[in-house]
Amino acid sequence: MRAGRVLGALLPLALLATGCGIRATDVVEVGDPAFVDVAPGREQSTLLYFVSSSSANRLMPVVRPNEVPWEGGSRLAPPESGQALVLLFEGPNKNEVATGLRTELPYVRAKVHIELGPTGVRVRVNAPVTGLSGTARRQLICTAAQARTADRGEAVTVTGTDGVIGPARCSV
């Protein structure tokens, strides 16, 4: 009788030790991380890249609706060429700052021209660009690539009042 109790007590331990027949495996590689487009169509929004305060210089995409005021309210309108970079140089709005976003670009009332050429996106801006930090350059490159082509992989060259940066591709 005592042997039955000992056996009854040891049986669950034996089952636990065997792992119910599940064998250990190595890590299985399945590919790159998932990619998700976060922006609705360009007719309805502008995609800007700001810096997350919680992560060391990590860029975060921010979707802003395109609103044009008119008598009686506002309506959505397609962005003008360069609007995204003008908004980028103005920095995050109050709500974006409250969520922990910031910019490394200087505040500038920027005049910007963006065009798509055979070698990629070309940007002209009335501000110095060669002294920008690496993170500020990435903000500029990613926003310009997305604003003009909706393809962050497009090469971007930025000409400022003090020189040229790029060509570079968005690394986000």
Side-chain angles (χ1 to χ4, degrees):
M1 183 130 88
R2 184 174 176 153
R5 279 191 232 185
V6 171
L7 184 59
L10 291 177
L11 185 60
L13 290 175
L15 288 175
L16 232 134
T18 62
C20 299
I22 299 173
R23 287 185 259 156
T25 62
D26 291 332
V27 174
V28 178
E29 297 288 335
V30 293
D32 293 331
F35 174 78
V36 178
D37 279 333
V38 295
R42 275 199 255 163
E43 302 80 33
Q44 301 168 1
S45 66
T46 300
L47 187 62
L48 309 171
Y49 286 86
F50 289 118
V51 184
S52 170
S53 296
S54 62
S55 299
N57 299 326
R58 181 173 175 212
L59 294 189
M60 300 295 291
V62 174
V63 179
R64 285 214 193 143
N66 298 325
E67 293 187 22
V68 177
W70 59 281
E71 193 173 321
S74 65
R75 63 181 170 81
L76 295 177
E80 298 173 15
S81 179
Q83 176 188 10
L85 292 179
V86 170
L87 292 172
L88 184 69
F89 274 105
E90 289 177 359
N93 62 28
K94 289 188 313 186
N95 292 335
E96 293 159 353
V97 169
T99 61
L101 296 174
R102 62 183 176 82
T103 185
E104 287 210 1
L105 289 166
Y107 176 79
V108 174
R109 291 232 180 250
K111 291 182 183 170
V112 178
H113 178 73
I114 301 177
E115 63 185 26
L116 183 59
T119 59
V121 178
R122 292 186 303 228
V123 177
R124 284 193 321 263
V125 61
N126 67 331
V129 294
T130 60
L132 295 174
S133 71
T135 301
R137 288 179 183 214
R138 287 181 27 239
Q139 281 184 264
L140 195 54
I141 298 292
C142 291
T143 301
Q146 186 72 37
R148 190 63 181 106
T149 68
D151 178 9
R152 291 189 320 252
E154 193 71 45
V156 176
T157 303
V158 181
T159 303
T161 57
D162 63 342
V164 178
I165 58 173
R169 298 183 192 284
C170 180
S171 61
V172 175

